[in-house]
Amino acid sequence: MAHAAAFHDGLSPIAPTPSTDWPLTPMVRFPLPTDRNARILAFVSLANAAGRGAFITASTLYFTRIVGLSLTELGTGLTAAAVCGLLSGVPFGYLADWRGPRETAAILLALAAAASVWLLVVDSFWPFLVCACLISLFQGGGSAARQAALAQVVQGAEAVATRAYLRSIGNVGIGIGTGVAGVALAVDTRVAYLCVMGFNALCLALCPLIILRLPRSLTDTSGNGGRRPALPPLDVVRDAPYAIVTLINVVMMVHFQITEIALPLWLARHTKAPPSMVAALVLFNTIAVVLFQVRVSRGISNVAEAVRSWRRSGVTLLLACLVFAVSSVGSAVTTAIVLVVAVAIHVYGEMVQSAAAALLSYDLAPADKHGQYQGFFNTGMSFAQMIAPAILIPLIVTWGACGWMVLGVIFLITGLAMAPAVQWALRRQGASTAAIREAKA
């Protein structure tokens, strides 16, 4: 959806294993990273996601009913903001590599918070357009800098694990923000909507304060005792294998929009299930990610395991699409059962793919250039959000069950395509023959 893409958080899709648990209930224990710096980044993700969840839920009504924008103006502004966010990752990630991710992230998130305060007083299209573009620009850049900080804090399988926590706790934050906005929607007054915009700004303002608790050593990426080197080369734009890996991820990540775009249209046009079931299925997906993302991701500790997991996600998503196609047949009760099964299979494939993508995005990037490389990889995530409607709507609405089958085959091919792309990337890195052989297996 346009507004979601406009203010996308690049830490959203993501994976294994700390030993410290934080009990939520006697039956459910939610693990947090044992590393202090990883926990700091987790709380940044929580605050950022809470503000974003509130904003996404209330923004359409706020800008159309309170600010007075037309739907065309709203769509134009959010699309422009999405483009700004799409283009911000690489240059700001490059800056983070050079100047240090800690301070770069803090400054960009502080600027995003200041621009969000401006949303409280915008009253026409042009101020809204400038404000939305600035917020998306600073948030996209801040996300790339946070990815670079994460790469310095943890490496390898531990980085995959930490990103799993960030994704899980990010979903918790989205739920908190959605609940806050839900209260405002129920009250339905100008003051209530302004409180939601204020809540978003407050959450963003907390992010730089939290991220500055990271050690100052993250500021120096030069390895020269604080002396800044010359500007590093912008290698990511010339790294063809990494670009192919990112492109394959873009195609696969279309599946993230199934529950938001394809499922509501499918239920309404091709099944006997009540449209209200969409909310229950989306909630099921969210809770599953919160509870099981880390557990599903265990065991993905190297590139070879990530490639095998990626292949498994392609097969799993194919199966989910086939089950979605079957849901058009039968009574309302039968359809509901089949849809629950399909969503369960889909969310498993989603979690496996997220974990595999996390490890590949880090391990295939040079250790001293994670800002520009993660910024580039996250640009692919944002691009996937933008192209998803153009792919899903014609397939699911026009082609129906056949469209689901075509979509499933696309996921299968994408799942199989990653292995040769990773082998190419490893050869470019000068990896050992054994590592390349394992990636192929």
Side-chain angles (χ1 to χ4, degrees):
M1 297 168 63
H3 55 272
F7 301 95
H8 176 63
D9 175 9
L11 287 176
S12 297
I14 343 198
T17 328
S19 56
T20 300
D21 289 339
W22 174 27
L24 291 181
T25 71
M27 296 299 293
V28 177
R29 296 174 72 83
F30 186 80
L32 284 175
T34 55
D35 181 85
R36 174 183 179 274
N37 296 327
R39 286 199 300 272
I40 289 172
L41 290 172
F43 286 120
V44 173
S45 183
L46 177 65
N48 185 281
R52 193 171 71 255
F55 178 88
I56 289 173
T57 304
S59 60
T60 299
L61 291 179
Y62 173 72
F63 289 122
T64 55
R65 297 179 58 181
I66 306 302
V67 177
L69 301 180
S70 68
L71 290 176
T72 300
E73 289 174 331
L74 177 63
T76 301
L78 293 177
T79 301
V83 173
C84 288
L86 191 68
L87 299 177
S88 66
V90 172
F92 282 120
Y94 178 71
L95 179 64
D97 287 336
W98 181 49
R99 301 298 298 180
R102 174 182 175 269
E103 291 182 350
T104 301
I107 291 171
L108 290 172
L109 290 170
L111 290 172
S116 296
V117 173
W118 188 9
L119 285 178
L120 295 168
V121 295
V122 296
D123 57 1
S124 60
F125 171 68
W126 289 108
F128 159 72
L129 177 65
V130 173
C131 185
C133 288
L134 287 176
I135 293 172
S136 188
L137 188 72
F138 295 142
Q139 282 196 318
S143 174
R146 286 158 56 201
Q147 297 274 15
L150 177 61
Q152 289 194 22
V153 169
V154 290
Q155 289 82 37
E158 191 178 355
V160 180
T162 302
R163 289 194 68 178
Y165 302 124
L166 299 186
R167 184 169 189 231
S168 296
I169 203 168
N171 274 11
V172 173
I174 289 286
I176 293 171
T178 301
V180 170
V183 174
L185 294 178
V187 176
D188 196 27
T189 64
R190 178 183 180 85
V191 172
Y193 287 111
L194 287 173
C195 286
V196 173
M197 296 299 111
F199 176 79
N200 176 47
L202 176 62
C203 288
L204 278 173
L206 289 174
C207 291
L209 298 178
I210 299 171
I211 209 165
L212 284 174
R213 296 180 65 85
L214 290 171
R216 289 183 179 274
S217 59
L218 290 185
T219 301
D220 177 23
T221 61
S222 66
N224 295 319
R227 296 190 303 273
R228 297 293 175 192
L231 279 170
L234 189 58
D235 287 342
V236 70
V237 298
R238 296 186 294 272
D239 194 334
Y242 196 86
I244 294 300
V245 169
T246 300
L247 179 61
I248 292 171
N249 187 58
V250 167
V251 177
M252 186 71 95
M253 285 191 66
V254 168
H255 76 79
F256 278 101
Q257 303 299 308
I258 284 178
T259 52
E260 294 185 16
I261 297 172
L263 195 53
L265 294 173
W266 176 251
L267 259 71
R269 295 170 179 264
H270 294 281
T271 77
K272 297 178 181 179
S276 59
M277 189 178 178
V278 172
L281 293 174
V282 171
L283 181 62
F284 174 70
N285 176 286
T286 302
I287 293 174
V289 171
V290 170
L291 296 180
F292 300 112
Q293 176 69 72
V294 176
R295 182 174 299 178
V296 167
S297 304
R298 286 177 179 147
I300 304 178
S301 59
N302 56 54
V303 170
E305 290 166 352
V307 169
R308 287 193 289 271
S309 297
W310 185 276
R311 193 158 48 230
R312 185 168 74 250
S313 72
V315 174
T316 303
L317 291 171
L318 166 65
L319 178 59
C321 288
L322 295 178
V323 178
F324 274 122
V326 172
S327 67
S328 62
V329 180
S331 65
V333 173
T334 302
T335 296
I337 294 172
V338 173
L339 284 172
V340 170
V341 173
V343 169
I345 298 171
H346 169 253
V347 74
Y348 174 74
E350 171 187 324
M351 291 185 288
V352 172
Q353 183 267 330
S354 294
L359 189 137
L360 293 174
S361 71
Y362 276 83
D363 280 23
L364 298 180
D368 59 341
K369 296 182 177 68
H370 274 293
Q372 57 179 280
Y373 272 76
Q374 300 312 314
F376 183 78
F377 200 79
N378 287 342
T379 296
M381 297 176 184
S382 298
F383 187 67
Q385 284 188 319
M386 295 180 67
I387 67 171
I391 295 174
L392 294 176
I393 292 175
L395 283 178
I396 304 309
V397 174
T398 305
W399 291 23
C402 290
W404 280 114
M405 296 177 190
V406 171
L407 185 62
V409 171
I410 291 173
F411 291 142
L412 177 63
I413 293 172
T414 308
L416 298 175
M418 185 60 82
V422 168
Q423 292 169 47
W424 185 19
L426 290 174
R427 286 195 296 270
R428 181 183 174 92
Q429 284 184 340
S432 68
T433 302
I436 297 173
R437 189 183 302 115
E438 287 181 6
K440 186 177 181 179

